[in-house]
Amino acid sequence: MRNSILISLLCFTLLCTGCTTESTSIENSLDSSINTITNNNENSATRDLFAMDTYMNLTAYGSNAEQAVDKAVSCINDLDKLLSTGLKTSEISQLNDSGNMILSSDASIILENSIKLYDNTNGAFNPLMYPIMEAWGFPTKEYKVPEEDELKQLLTLTDMSNLKYKNSTGEVSFNLSGMKVDFGGIAKGYTSSKVRDCFISSGVTSGIISLGGNVQAIGKKPDGSMWRVGVQNPDSEGNILGVLKIQDKAVITSGGYERYFEQDGKTYHHIIDPSTGMPADSGLTSVTIISDNGTLADGLSTALFVMGLEKASDYWRDHYEEFDAVFFTDDKKLYITEGIQENFSSDYTWNTIDKEY
Ligand code: ADP
Ligand code: MG
């Protein structure tokens, strides 16, 4: 639902020329040259596709651009077939049905990253949330609010000590029947990293990938300047919180506004607090992570959303070499971490989170 709107907006902020919308002055100064370059430069290729329930756009520059983009599209489709929980024949569906499996190398890498994130975030990122997602009706879009007792029971299936995994063989098994893996919080970040690798191995040194809320930049723009990525304002479609200038980085946003339903006047979104089974109510409306590592950025965008501003800031202070972040709170305050202040601009006032208190 709004996920797709957000995606078009990100594509808009990255790619559109001459779109009319309620723009801030920042938005007007965003990259609008990309389309022009794409159209006029024969050494470039761009593709739109829909995969992983997401509108995606890939653009590559250079002599191998066409080949790189073709390879990337087939890489995305392969990963979608492997990881989709909605596809009965996917590796993840088979694991969820049978409770044991020898994972492919892609699924192994994602699971290893998920386990690491679970440990590092004190369980705020949990790759076993699928039974809870099902109870809320997110996979089928037949939404409902589960009973407290049902959630309590299902939470036992998200206990990571009941997942056995052998790094050396990729063998995974569940101790309890009904346990199910869900890579929805990390798979697109992994995919954007794979597409970057795909571009680079094809000799592409300049490109931009937008997988819905997930952006990955390869190098700089063909004119040598940095890519400019708009951070969506959760409160106002077509409006942005600010602009990040990046090179060779992933910029990944998680927000409750991306996928949600309403019942009896209440809104329920898709980022679940693993300690309660309820949509996370941490005081944050959106979290954007900027990192060299797309997989990490995606996992952290979900985990830091669950943690809330204070814990997320402390987490950043312990890991500031790995990522930076932009936070937007329920009470409409904007925060950015110190490491990106030189490359962030906004019409709004913001607070900087420093390494030292
Ligand atoms: P999006 O899918 O919109 O990019 P996220 O990266 O924030 O958003 O991931 C949200 C998805 O991650 C949910 O749809 C669900 O599949 C899964 N998920 C929900 N809560 C958690 C959690 N606490 N830890 C890990 N994955 C989660
Ligand atoms: Mg995520």
Side-chain angles (χ1 to χ4, degrees):
M1 34 204 255
R2 277 204 53 189
N3 210 17
S4 52
I5 295 164
L6 171 82
I7 286 137
S8 346
L9 281 166
L10 267 167
C11 295
F12 159 77
T13 51
L14 279 166
L15 299 168
C16 253
T17 31
C19 298
T20 51
T21 184
E22 270 179 53
S23 305
T24 63
S25 59
I26 292 287
E27 204 168 342
N28 287 335
S29 71
L30 265 180
D31 277 332
S32 56
S33 55
I34 301 171
N35 253 1
T36 318
I37 293 165
T38 307
N39 294 336
N40 295 341
N41 183 343
E42 47 189 83
N43 289 334
S44 69
T46 189
R47 296 272 190 290
D48 293 314
L49 70 149
F50 185 78
M52 302 181 172
D53 213 12
T54 300
Y55 291 98
M56 303 181 172
N57 177 277
L58 318 177
T59 301
Y61 299 94
S63 50
N64 278 339
E66 276 293 338
Q67 184 204 333
V69 166
D70 283 345
K71 251 171 75 179
V73 168
S74 78
C75 167
I76 291 171
N77 287 329
D78 288 350
L79 282 174
D80 198 6
K81 277 188 211 132
L82 196 77
L83 302 171
S84 168
T85 43
L87 184 71
K88 265 280 170 220
T89 52
S90 77
E91 189 172 307
I92 295 309
S93 292
Q94 287 180 44
L95 166 65
N96 288 345
D97 283 348
S98 66
N100 62 75
M101 186 93 184
I102 295 181
L103 295 178
S104 62
S105 118
D106 285 312
S108 299
I109 296 170
I110 298 175
L111 182 60
E112 281 160 28
N113 276 284
S114 299
I115 293 170
K116 217 185 291 171
L117 270 163
Y118 172 86
D119 291 339
N120 289 346
T121 64
N122 206 15
F125 184 90
N126 183 323
L128 291 175
M129 297 309 289
Y130 204 64
I132 305 278
M133 297 308 286
E134 287 185 311
W136 286 95
F138 282 107
T140 54
K141 300 189 170 71
E142 285 163 24
Y143 303 111
K144 59 189 185 308
V145 179
E147 297 289 329
E148 231 178 283
D149 274 358
E150 186 189 358
L151 282 181
K152 214 171 142 194
Q153 224 174 355
L154 291 174
L155 279 174
T156 60
L157 301 175
T158 66
D159 180 345
M160 283 286 280
S161 66
N162 286 317
L163 180 141
K164 298 284 167 257
Y165 176 67
K166 239 194 224 166
N167 274 46
S168 52
T169 57
E171 210 177 334
V172 63
S173 61
F174 303 147
N175 283 348
L176 301 176
S177 89
M179 287 174 68
K180 288 180 184 181
V181 159
D182 175 7
F183 289 148
I186 195 168
K188 272 181 270 167
Y190 178 74
T191 305
S192 65
S193 295
K194 285 276 282 197
V195 172
R196 179 205 53 199
D197 294 348
C198 201
F199 274 18
I200 289 170
S201 70
S202 300
V204 167
T205 51
S206 171
I208 193 96
I209 300 157
S210 172
L211 313 184
N214 302 334
V215 174
Q216 172 72 55
I218 292 99
K220 291 185 182 173
K221 283 165 59 181
D223 67 5
S225 63
M226 288 167 93
W227 299 102
R228 297 157 63 83
V229 177
V231 179
Q232 159 85 39
N233 184 339
D235 289 341
S236 168
E237 287 172 25
N239 199 343
I240 54 171
L241 292 175
V243 179
L244 289 160
K245 278 196 284 180
I246 54 156
Q247 138 184 22
D248 287 315
K249 298 259 185 216
V251 177
I252 294 186
T253 299
S254 281
Y257 63 94
E258 291 177 2
R259 201 170 293 237
Y260 64 93
F261 68 97
E262 282 166 2
Q263 190 172 305
D264 301 329
K266 274 192 174 172
T267 301
Y268 301 94
H269 65 72
H270 71 138
I271 303 171
I272 305 293
D273 182 341
S275 67
T276 61
M278 296 291 290
D281 186 17
S282 66
L284 289 173
T285 317
S286 83
V287 175
T288 299
I289 305 290
I290 305 99
S291 174
D292 295 339
N293 180 338
T295 313
L296 176 78
D298 196 1
L300 283 181
S301 69
T302 309
L304 268 53
F305 185 96
V306 170
M307 284 183 196
L309 184 66
E310 206 170 312
K311 280 190 191 155
S313 303
D314 286 342
Y315 187 90
W316 173 76
R317 289 189 182 99
D318 288 340
H319 299 86
Y320 65 84
E321 283 174 345
E322 294 167 34
F323 74 99
D324 273 292
V326 176
F327 302 105
F328 193 58
T329 64
D330 292 348
D331 55 0
K332 324 259 173 262
K333 292 202 176 101
L334 181 61
Y335 294 81
I336 67 164
T337 56
E338 197 185 328
I340 43 150
Q341 55 185 346
E342 302 300 321
N343 290 315
F344 182 76
S345 50
S346 174
D347 279 354
Y348 300 103
T349 326
W350 71 81
N351 306 286
T352 305
I353 299 167
D354 296 317
K355 283 177 205 146
E356 308 297 333
Y357 273 107

